[in-house]
Every structure is written in C-alpha cells, then in structure tokens.
Amino acid sequence: MARAEVARIRRRAVGSTARLAPDLHPVLRRVYANRGVADSRALNLDLGQLLPGSGLAGLREAAGRLAAAVMAQSRILIAGDFDADGATGTALAVAGLRALGAKQVDFLVPDRFRLGYGLSPELANLAIARNPQLLITVDNGISSLAGVAALRAAGVAVIVTDHHLPGDQLPAADAIVNPNQPGDRFASKALAGVGVMFYLLAATRSALRARGWFADRAPPNLADFLDLVALGTVADMVPLDRNNRILVEQGLRRIRAGRARPGIAALISVSGRDPARIGASDLGFALGPRLNAAGRLEHMEQGIHCLLAADVDVAMPLATELDRINRQRRELQTQMQDEAVSGLLEELSEQQHGLVLFQPHWHEGIVGLVASRVKERFHRPTIAFAPSGQGGLKGSGRSIAGFHLRDALALLVAENPGLVEKFGGHAMAVGLSLPTDHLAEFTSVFDAIAERLLAGYELDSVVLSDGSLAPAELSLNTAQALWSGGPWGQGFPEPCFDDRFRIVSQRIVGQGHLKLQLACPGADAVYDAMAFGREQRLAGDCAQLAYRLVMDEFRGRERLQLMIEAIAE
C-alpha cells in the first residue's frame, strides 16, 4: 500500500499497559502495549542488554580462527555484498579488524551485473588471485557451496558470516556464523549481516584479550562502530526485535552526539538531515537508498570507500557522488514503476494472487524497488524481472505479511524442476534467475502457488492503526514523545492513528502531493497535513484518515504535522 492510497483501516488489538511505567506518555504506553511490550524492562535499550553471543553457533570457533589470523598478521580478505547491509558489514569488518590490530585487510564485492550475488566460483577465483590466507564473507556465503569449495581447494581458509536462510546443504567452510543455520540457539533470528559481523568482532576481541594481544595497549571500543550497524540493520529491513532495537538505538545515539563516522556524517549532510535529530526512518529512507544506489547502478566499492573514509574531506566527494547516482536511480525507478502500475491497472484481475512483471528495457538493479512499490500498491507478492547482463532474466521479489516468499519459491522449484536456475532470500524478499523462455510458465506457476498458499487470505490493502487520538493528544508534545520512543521500523512499526477529520482546505503541491488543513469535527483547532503521492483532492467535507504525527521545522520553529498514510474506503 503506497502512502495516501485508499485502504481498509484496521485497529490493532489493544494490549495491556498494566506493567508499563506510569510516567510514560499515555499515548506511548498504548502504542507499546499494542506492539506486545508487556513490561517496561523490555524498553531498556542500553548496550549491556544485548543478547550474549554464546548462543550463536560457530561463533567461538570463528573468533578463535580470526584471532589467530590477526596475531599472525595473515592476509585477510572480506567478501561482501552490494546492498547497504553488505556494504556496512564489509566496512565494519575492515575497520574493526584494523582496530583490533590486523595489518593486511582488504575487501572484494561482486559486480552485480557480471557476477551476481554472493561468493560465486567466479568471485572465488578473483579472491584467490589476491592471495589471501583467510576469506570472510559478510551478508552472504550460506548458499555458496561451490565458491567456498574453490577457495578451500586453493588453500584459503573460509569463515562464512551470513543471516540468510540456508539450503539443504551447508558450505564446507572452516566456520559458519549465521543465526538461521540449523541447530543455532541464538534467541534473535533477525540479526542483519552487519549485526552478525559485529558479534564476530566482539568475540574476536575477547579471544585476543584472552591470548594477551592487548597486554601493552587498550582494546578498541567496538561500540564506536555502532553507527554502521544501525544503518545496515535498518536499511536491510530486518525485524526490529529488542536486540536489533538496542543495536539501532545505540548507533543513533552516537550519531546524534556528533560521533558518526565521517562517511555516515557525509551521507547525512548530502541528504539534508539534521544529525542531532536523526531517526531510524532517516537511515532507511535517506541514507540507505543513497548507499544502495551505487550497488544498483554502478559498483558498491564507492559506497564502502565512503564508509571507510578517514575524514569528512575524503568522504564528502564520495557521498556527493552517491547522491548523484541516487538521483539517477530515482528517475529510472519512477519510469519503471509507472510502466508497471499502468499495465496492472489495465490488466489486473481479482483472481490474480502472485504478480510477475517484466519489460525488456528495465534495469536489473532497480527491479527490487519496483517489486516493492507494486507490492505496496496492490498488496500481492510481486516479482519483477529484467534482462540479465549474463543472458536470461534476473528477478527480485517482495512479499506481503503471511506469505513466505522464499518457501513459496522452494515449493515452486520442487514441483517444477528446471524452471528456475537459482534463487535465495527470506520471507519478505528474494532474488532469482531463470531463462528468458521460461518466463511465461513461471508467471502462471507462481500465480497458482500464490493462490494456493493465500487461500482465504484478504488481499485488500490494510493499514493497522493504534486507534484514535483525542484532540488534546494531537499535539507537538505527543509527537515528541513518540519520536523519542523509537527506534521504529520493520516489525516494530511507527505509530499510526486514525480519526475522522473535517477538511478545511486542500490543494495539490509539488510533484503530485496533497496538502491539507484538517480539523476534528466540532473543534476549532486546525492541523497541517500532507498526503505524499496523492494527486487527487479528497471528495466531500470529511474523511476517515490514517496518519502519523511528525515534527516539522518551519522558519526555525517546530510545529505539528499529520502525515497521511491512508484514506479509508
């Protein structure tokens, strides 16, 4: 569901506030309870509340091997990924290992268009040519059986760190750290790739300390790298369970205190954000896209070099270039998205459950974004394809709640051998490739499987609301309390409310946005509101609207603004 689209507004089940601190803002207490927070102790996001790494299978062995490599000054190569999680995780690995005392650390990221995702045999050969003694994957590798085998055969030790779901067979690496591998007891399965790397660095520091490595110097404070962890975690849209909320909140606190890495500070600057007021949504919708743009259109090395920059003077030109690439990305995405939506508006039937999109001129680096927007607009699992630079088709899919996309593709492949060349991902997002002449059959089969798995599922767009706000609660004070109560994000959504408003005035502004003034029926107070992406005025004098409270700064003063999320049917 895109912002300001017509949708069903459904109120969340009201949770109990009995064990939440009475001094919390009353609206914030209700919001927390609606998200299953039953005790104020769960709101403690201090770093000491992080889950211990002892539950991560393979962590002790991986840390021991990595500590030995650092002490021996072995040549270490990081094999990353070309999205924001992979980029931040790669930068974290390089900077963190250097801080631990490693002298020979470098990184390698695949070219999306030539090599595709992960530690492929081709990328393994490029890695072998650099003559590393140890290779560590970040945000990939759990499905890279052939790539790991090639490296091991060449005498290179391999540590796999990943968070994606494994296949039936694990790679024959020297150690694997992945909270989603079989037998893992780590309580949070939602760690992003950068979060897994943070745990590995922390365990490696402990192993080095035990071996006397820091006898003549202080060990590094790894918490200084939490701005990287926060950015990668939010940008990868993993669920913000309590453990991830701690990682994100701690990173945000460091950024707001002026302690961001130069590369992140530069990205904040080019995005026009105020570092003192940065929030999780800024990481996800401002910084993350600028970082991702390099991997989508050119090469993620540019983004990683920005994150590793030693000072702002080095970082700023790199961030400016990332901003330029992101503007180009937006133009391409708008064109592709408009083509996809216009075609579906003409052809989509209520009987379609799984959407498959393709145009021969589409860009393979943008199809995931198109799939995401179409999924939001039409509330159906969506896969978008583009021609691959290696021949065939490259696809990216996004799903809706209740439809596990990777499991659906696994079922599709099991029932239709040979239809898909390869695939991977998780519940809400996948990547895949298939021969061009398989597209028509894939389209039919995917829709049939979606129909089977979504039987009885409501396919209308639904916005979940935290209920109504009294006129006295529609205030800047409430907006401030909700902002400070974050971080909000995937799995712990930003507060949203719904009420019936009287429309005082409305007009279209900018490039298709609806600006309104609203009032509660029977009340005099008037509220500014925006419905981004809404190109039509609302009919009638009143409307039931789902909205968020935001703090808008205008001429040096903060004021309340309602951000319209949906208009009730």
Side-chain angles (χ1 to χ4, degrees):
M1 194 260 340
R3 280 184 178 176
E5 290 291 337
V6 173
R8 295 183 187 274
I9 299 174
R10 181 176 298 157
R11 294 188 174 179
R12 297 178 182 275
V14 178
S16 171
T17 62
R19 297 177 64 186
L20 293 175
D23 58 344
L24 282 172
H25 190 286
V27 174
L28 188 57
R29 293 179 82 233
R30 285 156 41 195
V31 167
Y32 281 148
N34 292 354
R35 280 149 188 73
V37 178
D39 193 311
S40 288
R41 288 175 293 184
L43 300 173
N44 183 348
L45 301 183
D46 291 342
L47 199 55
Q49 299 297 312
L50 269 183
L51 291 170
S54 56
L56 272 169
L59 183 65
R60 183 176 180 180
E61 182 179 6
R65 289 180 177 273
L66 187 49
V70 171
M71 295 180 73
Q73 293 300 340
S74 299
R75 296 181 300 277
I76 302 172
L77 184 62
I78 310 301
D81 186 24
F82 42 63
D83 68 358
D85 184 18
T88 53
T90 299
L92 172 65
V94 172
L97 285 171
R98 289 172 178 169
L100 289 170
K103 301 296 185 184
Q104 303 183 79
V105 186
D106 201 357
F107 70 89
L108 178 65
V109 178
D111 184 315
R112 176 194 291 266
F113 312 109
R114 292 193 304 109
L115 300 178
Y117 166 80
L119 184 61
S120 63
E122 294 79 11
L123 187 69
N125 289 333
L126 291 177
I128 291 168
R130 296 198 183 187
N131 195 31
Q133 293 167 290
L134 171 64
L135 181 139
I136 307 170
T137 71
V138 177
D139 192 32
N140 74 94
I142 197 64
S143 300
S144 303
L145 277 63
V148 171
L151 285 157
R152 295 287 303 280
V156 181
V158 179
I159 295 174
V160 168
T161 75
D162 202 348
H163 70 122
H164 294 96
L165 297 174
D168 295 332
Q169 184 178 350
L170 296 179
D174 293 87
I176 298 175
V177 186
N178 182 339
N180 291 299
Q181 67 178 305
D184 188 279
R185 297 181 291 106
F186 193 67
S188 171
K189 303 302 181 184
L191 274 180
V194 67
V196 176
M197 177 50 65
F198 182 77
Y199 269 90
L200 176 57
L201 289 175
T204 301
R205 182 183 60 181
S206 296
L208 287 168
R209 183 188 288 114
R211 300 178 190 194
W213 182 246
F214 302 114
D216 58 351
R217 57 197 170 106
N221 182 6
L222 297 179
D224 290 341
F225 298 104
L226 282 169
D227 54 350
L228 287 170
V229 181
L231 174 55
T233 298
V234 173
D236 209 47
M237 297 184 68
V238 292
L240 291 190
D241 61 9
R242 187 189 180 197
N243 208 57
N244 277 341
R245 291 187 75 229
I246 292 171
L247 292 171
V248 172
E249 174 64 16
Q250 291 296 321
L252 288 171
R253 288 181 188 178
R254 283 159 174 78
I255 295 172
R256 292 169 189 155
R259 293 158 56 193
R261 294 182 61 79
I264 289 182
L267 286 171
I268 293 171
S269 177
V270 299
S271 67
R273 269 28 181 206
D274 178 358
R277 295 182 54 180
I278 204 81
S281 61
D282 298 303
L283 300 182
F285 295 110
L287 275 65
R290 285 171 169 80
L291 191 56
N292 271 323
R296 293 187 184 282
L297 297 185
E298 296 189 13
H299 201 289
M300 185 48 92
E301 280 189 358
Q302 299 172 78
I304 296 171
H305 284 306
C306 178
L307 295 175
L308 288 172
D311 55 58
V312 174
D313 289 340
V314 174
M316 188 58 71
L318 294 167
T320 301
E321 176 63 9
L322 293 175
D323 187 58
R324 181 198 66 77
I325 299 170
N326 190 53
R327 290 196 300 273
Q328 180 185 355
R329 185 272 306 170
R330 282 200 299 261
E331 292 174 2
L332 277 171
Q333 180 184 340
T334 298
Q335 175 189 339
M336 292 166 58
Q337 191 174 306
D338 289 347
E339 291 174 356
V341 170
S342 62
L344 287 170
L345 289 175
E346 294 175 3
E347 301 174 6
L348 182 65
S349 71
E350 292 185 2
Q351 285 70 42
Q352 278 185 270
H353 289 71
L355 304 181
V356 176
L357 312 170
F358 169 74
Q359 288 293 336
H361 57 276
W362 281 358
H363 193 291
E364 67 173 278
I366 309 295
V367 288
L369 297 174
V370 172
S372 179
R373 298 302 183 268
V374 169
K375 177 266 297 186
E376 292 172 356
R377 176 74 179 265
F378 297 97
H379 198 62
R380 284 162 171 76
T382 303
I383 298 176
F385 286 97
S388 165
Q390 302 299 303
L393 301 178
K394 185 71 65 68
S396 187
R398 300 293 185 269
S399 195
I400 59 177
F403 187 84
H404 196 299
L405 192 49
R406 185 194 176 278
D407 286 356
L409 284 185
L411 177 61
L412 183 151
V413 168
E415 294 181 353
N416 302 271
L419 183 59
V420 174
E421 288 181 343
K422 59 182 179 179
F423 73 97
H426 47 80
M428 302 305 290
V430 296
L432 69 160
S433 59
L434 69 158
T436 304
D437 58 3
H438 288 191
L439 179 63
E441 182 181 358
F442 178 87
T443 300
S444 176
V445 170
F446 180 69
D447 181 45
I449 284 182
E451 181 177 8
R452 188 196 320 171
L453 298 181
L454 289 170
Y457 187 89
E458 185 178 289
L459 287 175
D460 293 330
S461 293
V462 175
V463 173
L464 293 178
S465 163
D466 288 293
S468 175
L469 290 180
E473 295 172 328
L474 282 165
S475 68
L476 194 60
N477 174 265
T478 302
Q480 174 66 44
L482 295 175
W483 181 85
S484 63
W488 311 100
Q490 189 76 16
F492 202 82
E494 195 166 352
C496 178
F497 308 94
D498 76 282
D499 281 291
R500 189 163 185 81
F501 290 97
R502 176 168 52 87
I503 301 170
V504 177
S505 68
Q506 56 178 323
R507 58 191 174 94
I508 305 298
V509 298
Q511 297 180 341
H513 309 303
L514 183 61
K515 184 176 179 61
L516 309 101
Q517 287 192 311
L518 304 171
C520 298
D524 295 328
V526 175
Y527 308 99
D528 291 329
M530 284 291 295
F532 285 105
R534 171 85 183 184
E535 299 182 12
Q536 301 86 30
R537 292 160 59 93
L538 301 183
D541 298 326
C542 294
Q544 186 77 18
L545 304 173
Y547 61 94
R548 294 182 293 110
L549 299 183
V550 299
M551 296 176 292
D552 182 47
E553 187 172 328
F554 182 70
R555 294 179 179 174
R557 294 180 57 196
E558 283 189 343
R559 60 179 184 175
L560 176 69
Q561 187 175 57
L562 311 188
M563 199 65 67
I564 307 303
E565 292 291 298
I567 301 145
E569 291 182 331

